[in-house]
Amino acid sequence: YIIYNSIMRINLTRIRTYYINLHSDKQKNKNTKDLLESLGFKSITRCPGFKADGFISGSGAAYQNVLMSRSKGGEPFTLVEDDIKLTHFDHIIDVPDDADAVYLGVSKMGFVDGKHKELLLVSNVEGYEHLYRIHNMLATHAVVYLNMEYAKSTVIAAQNYLDQGLPHDLGIAENMKNWKVYALNKPMFIQYPKYRYFTDTAISDLPNTQEIV
């Protein structure tokens, strides 16, 4: 990426991209790799998921492993899950130069008062009509990590919930209010088919959002 006049311009296809995939999900592996290659991504790496005592611990621990290993590398990276489906794609995006992460996929679900709710806490971003700053979003299926200190803090926050037998995304959602995390208003990637109801939406179309000034 390059920075000029307080704008960070990111070429998504040139950032190292990782996707989480179970060995048994061979079709998802092929679909995800084929999709990313067709979009022109230059560096694509499969990261093995694994089954544990429950879906929560298995998927969460796999996500944690990637975050921990990649954050030590010091370079921005994109992390996606293997159930993504494309809605549209722009390989160049502009975000504020203080961005710690950018969500390429969104969810209508937020973490509010210790509960899952269809309520997102968001802030408008002056000069960036295509973005919102997000404060509590429950989504992990397509994220660009730009600041490795944020990535490391995400690991710690998520582990606090995993240790309680709870989903890792609760910790991620709770932690993001302390950082500059942005999301595309219109997601490039949704989760399909299982979580389409939650992820196939523009933030501006949601009936339940609360603006944080």
Side-chain angles (χ1 to χ4, degrees), residues 26-68:
K26 297 185 184 299
Q27 189 60 52
K28 285 185 176 181
N29 180 27
K30 182 179 186 304
N31 292 347
T32 305
K33 185 178 180 183
D34 288 351
L35 172 60
L36 295 173
E37 287 180 344
S38 73
L39 296 173
F41 283 78
K42 308 300 183 187
S43 175
I44 306 166
T45 303
R46 176 186 174 272
C47 296
F50 54 89
K51 293 183 179 179
D53 293 336
F55 172 79
I56 288 174
S57 58
S59 63
Y63 200 90
Q64 291 286 82
N65 286 346
V66 180
L67 278 184
M68 284 190 288

Side-chain angles (χ1 to χ4, degrees), residues 2-206:
I2 59 173
I3 296 176
Y4 66 97
N5 294 334
S6 299
I7 298 173
M8 184 186 301
R9 175 157 290 178
I10 304 170
N11 186 333
L12 295 173
T13 63
R14 296 188 178 277
I15 292 180
R16 293 182 183 275
T17 302
Y18 302 87
Y19 66 96
I20 297 172
N21 167 255
L22 284 172
H23 179 71
S24 58
D25 286 337
K26 297 185 184 299
Q27 189 60 52
K28 285 185 176 181
N29 180 27
K30 182 179 186 304
N31 292 347
T32 305
K33 185 178 180 183
D34 288 351
L35 172 60
L36 295 173
E37 287 180 344
S38 73
L39 296 173
F41 283 78
K42 308 300 183 187
S43 175
I44 306 166
T45 303
R46 176 186 174 272
C47 296
F50 54 89
K51 293 183 179 179
D53 293 336
F55 172 79
I56 288 174
S57 58
S59 63
Y63 200 90
Q64 291 286 82
N65 286 346
V66 180
L67 278 184
M68 284 190 288
S69 62
R70 292 304 96 209
S71 62
K72 295 176 182 177
E75 296 182 356
F77 63 93
T78 300
L79 179 53
V80 303
E81 298 173 0
D82 66 0
D83 59 350
I84 55 171
K85 180 178 180 179
L86 184 71
T87 62
H88 72 280
F89 188 68
D90 299 305
H91 74 284
I92 300 290
I93 60 172
D94 289 344
V95 300
D97 64 358
D98 64 358
D100 296 310
V102 182
Y103 276 54
L104 307 180
V106 306
S107 169
K108 64 176 64 177
M109 298 302 294
F111 191 43
V112 182
D113 298 327
K115 298 179 180 179
H116 294 77
K117 292 184 179 180
E118 286 193 27
L119 175 62
L120 290 185
L121 307 180
V122 301
S123 301
N124 292 313
V125 186
E126 185 176 357
Y128 297 87
E129 294 184 355
H130 63 292
L131 290 179
Y132 284 91
R133 183 180 172 190
I134 52 175
H135 301 266
N136 71 329
M137 183 180 286
L138 289 164
T140 56
H141 58 282
V143 184
V144 183
Y145 288 90
L146 298 165
N147 180 350
M148 296 307 99
E149 293 305 311
Y150 169 67
K152 293 173 185 176
S153 78
T154 295
V155 170
I156 294 170
Q159 193 62 48
N160 287 337
Y161 280 84
L162 286 172
D163 290 344
Q164 301 173 58
L166 297 171
H168 65 294
D169 60 351
L170 299 181
I172 296 172
E174 184 178 56
N175 181 53
M176 67 175 57
K177 65 179 180 292
N178 302 313
W179 300 82
K180 295 294 180 66
V181 181
Y182 299 97
L184 299 178
N185 175 41
K186 297 180 179 180
M188 292 186 188
F189 299 102
I190 64 172
Q191 285 182 288
Y192 186 88
K194 187 174 182 180
Y195 297 109
R196 182 176 183 178
Y197 169 78
F198 300 106
T199 63
D200 190 4
T201 182
I203 295 175
S204 59
D205 290 339
L206 293 175

